[in-house]
Amino acid sequence: MAGVSDKARFYLERAAPELREFEEKGIFSKDEIRTLVTKRSDFEHLILSPGTKPSDFLSYVSWERSLDRLRAKRCRKLNLSRSSSSHASQARTFGIFERAVLKHPGCVPLWLAYLDFAAQAKATKRWRRIATRALRLHPTNAQLWTIAGRRAAQGGDMERARAHFLRGCRFCTGDAALWVEYARCEMEWLAKVEAKKAGKGVRKGVNALEAIKATEAVQEGDIIRFDEEDEESGDEGELMLPDPDAQGQGTKKKPDVFDEETTRKMEQSPALSGAIPMAIFDIARKQPFFGPAAAEQFFDVFAGFSNLSSQERIVQHVLAAMEELFPNHPCTCSCQIRQPLIGVSIVTAAFPKALRESLARLKVALEGTTDRKALARKTVVWVDAILATEGLDEAIKTVLEHTKRSLESPS
């Protein structure tokens, strides 16, 4: 244990300047400093001892972050705007996470917590390096690929987001989660493009090309590159070619690369009419995981984007495939029943008519499904969701409550 004590003392001594600052500025009293040193010493001995668990590191991080929140609160109370302890606390937490993933590289929750902390700290370049290391160690983890793809998409780089999702789909062929999230990401991109074309965020009536550009403002710090050899190296001293499109003083503005004909073709592109989400679904049909439940997940994702002009076409594409492959399965019947309600607001006059059609389909489906009880359970779920809506019409409420009782009663 001598080795453990020496290592623990080494890490504790690195925090000595911060502790002196606490005492000099009156952030913590001497007794409080003595208590937190004892607590930190216990954590250091715990994580340095043989047989340490990932939860020990997470507990240490949680304690450090709670201590930092208390420090920040007292600094505000004392009007201490400048304090080096805030940076020291963040650096120490990063150090604990780094030691944790080196000790337990196979623990995915540790990597996820590490990524979450880096994102909260807005350390974009560090986040990219952490994500790259995590994906290299866990290429078959769908959650890590989803986080990487979604972060790139939120940063406006759909090309990089698609690259992450496509690379992840090559590895994750045993679960539908990543494929469904990829389809969701593409649907969100389509919704953003249509919102921009409608004038939300840019001038009204912009063409498709300008709308796409408006949704894809790339943040370079979030790009994950798997072919980097030296991830820590910077760009200082590196020669770079000048931008040929840059507008210098006294230069004439160059003509746009995309002319009117190209813009017209972009507006008619299949990608803007839902071709990519449907292609994801079609390729997913050939994967080992595909079945009625996976198809229903795709249906649920597509049904949630009622503001898309191409939604009806995409939903019908999925439903047609389900009717062909699993004609009387409860998942297929449930999707058929809910189809008339897609895109119809509960508080509009069109809802009673759509509900009437759904209930008529429910009656037919209960007679022909292969599992009546499973279909009844699925139906009760969305019926409860409608009943929970505030301001629901009393007549509709009465009908749905009667339907729910009939489904829950033993047949």
Side-chain angles (χ1 to χ4, degrees):
M1 295 298 290
V4 171
S5 298
D6 291 340
K7 291 178 181 178
R9 189 178 302 110
F10 168 76
Y11 288 109
L12 291 172
E13 288 175 353
R14 295 175 65 179
E18 181 187 14
L19 298 177
R20 283 195 292 268
E21 183 182 6
F22 287 164
E23 184 178 359
E24 291 171 358
K25 295 184 176 181
I27 300 174
F28 292 101
S29 65
K30 289 186 178 180
D31 291 338
E32 289 175 327
I33 293 174
R34 192 177 298 109
T35 302
L36 69 88
V37 168
T38 303
K39 187 69 173 178
R40 187 172 286 159
S41 177
D42 293 340
F43 275 118
E44 286 293 343
H45 281 82
L46 178 63
I47 65 174
L48 290 169
S49 300
T52 181
K53 298 176 291 185
S55 58
D56 300 331
F57 286 94
L58 293 176
S59 298
Y60 191 6
V61 167
S62 178
W63 180 80
E64 283 288 354
R65 297 187 69 179
S66 64
L67 175 65
D68 186 58
R69 287 192 294 270
L70 178 60
R71 177 206 59 78
K73 183 178 180 180
R74 293 191 177 183
C75 285
R76 288 193 298 270
K77 189 175 182 180
L78 297 172
N79 293 324
L80 298 175
S81 57
R82 294 183 178 181
S83 176
S84 60
S85 57
S86 59
H87 302 289
S89 176
Q90 187 179 102
R92 186 182 305 106
T93 305
F94 274 120
I96 296 170
F97 269 122
E98 193 63 28
R99 292 155 64 190
V101 296
L102 289 175
K103 185 78 171 180
H104 303 282
C107 182
V108 175
L110 268 182
W111 287 103
L112 294 174
Y114 196 0
L115 287 169
D116 183 59
F117 177 73
Q120 292 181 20
K122 298 181 180 179
T124 55
K125 291 186 178 180
R126 184 186 285 266
W127 188 95
R128 173 170 56 84
R129 292 195 295 267
I130 297 167
T132 303
R133 291 165 57 195
L135 288 171
R136 283 172 174 168
L137 286 170
H138 305 280
T140 59
N141 188 277
Q143 190 174 4
L144 289 172
W145 286 111
T146 300
I147 292 173
R150 285 205 156 275
R151 186 174 176 89
Q154 291 169 2
D157 190 359
M158 273 305 296
E159 182 180 358
R160 183 63 56 176
R162 290 184 181 118
H164 292 329
F165 277 115
L166 288 172
R167 187 187 286 255
C169 287
R170 288 168 53 192
F171 294 102
C172 304
T173 57
D175 187 13
L178 181 62
W179 297 74
V180 172
E181 287 302 320
Y182 183 18
R184 191 194 307 276
C185 186
E186 289 290 352
M187 294 292 285
E188 290 173 352
W189 177 78
L190 284 175
K192 288 180 182 179
V193 171
E194 290 201 359
K196 296 293 182 182
K197 288 173 66 177
K200 298 178 181 178
V202 295
R203 64 184 183 277
K204 192 172 182 179
V206 298
N207 58 45
L209 180 60
E210 291 178 340
I212 293 172
K213 286 182 177 179
T215 61
E216 297 190 358
V218 181
Q219 296 180 6
E220 290 293 333
D222 290 341
I223 297 177
I224 300 175
R225 296 184 177 90
F226 291 92
D227 55 350
E228 290 180 345
E229 294 296 332
D230 186 7
E231 295 176 346
E232 299 290 341
S233 62
D235 296 329
E236 293 80 10
E238 183 179 344
L239 294 177
M240 298 182 66
L241 293 175
D243 185 359
D245 296 326
Q247 299 298 319
Q249 187 175 4
T251 59
K252 295 182 179 180
K253 184 178 179 180
K254 296 186 177 182
D256 295 333
V257 177
F258 295 94
D259 54 15
E260 294 182 0
E261 178 66 18
T262 305
T263 303
R264 185 181 63 80
K265 291 181 179 179
M266 285 287 294
E267 291 176 347
Q268 298 174 355
S269 172
L272 298 179
S273 60
I276 298 179
M278 288 190 293
I280 297 170
F281 174 77
D282 290 339
I283 299 173
R285 289 174 58 180
K286 304 174 183 178
Q287 305 305 315
F289 63 78
F290 189 78
E296 188 178 22
Q297 291 182 48
F298 278 100
F299 181 91
D300 292 339
V301 168
F302 298 149
F305 292 85
S306 56
N307 56 337
L308 277 181
S309 59
S310 57
Q311 184 201 38
E312 184 178 353
R313 177 169 170 255
I314 299 173
V315 168
Q316 184 57 44
H317 179 78
V318 175
L319 191 57
M322 295 179 71
E323 291 171 348
E324 176 188 352
L325 299 174
F326 322 106
N328 295 317
H329 195 277
C331 292
T332 303
C333 295
S334 177
C335 294
Q336 290 173 332
I337 294 166
R338 289 181 289 145
Q339 186 186 18
L341 300 175
I342 296 176
V344 181
S345 176
I346 298 177
V347 296
T348 61
F351 183 75
K353 182 179 179 181
L355 181 62
R356 191 182 307 115
E357 174 64 22
S358 291
L359 294 179
R361 293 189 181 190
L362 173 62
K363 184 177 181 181
V364 175
L366 287 173
E367 299 297 328
T369 183
T370 57
D371 192 340
R372 182 186 176 94
K373 291 184 178 179
L375 179 58
R377 288 193 299 268
K378 290 178 177 292
T379 305
V380 168
V381 171
W382 63 262
V383 167
D384 284 336
I386 297 176
L387 288 173
T389 305
E390 294 184 4
L392 184 65
D393 185 80
E394 288 298 327
I396 295 176
K397 187 175 182 180
T398 302
V399 171
L400 289 177
E401 288 176 346
H402 173 74
T403 302
K404 180 180 177 181
R405 286 195 299 269
S406 63
L407 291 172
E408 292 176 338
S409 62
S411 54

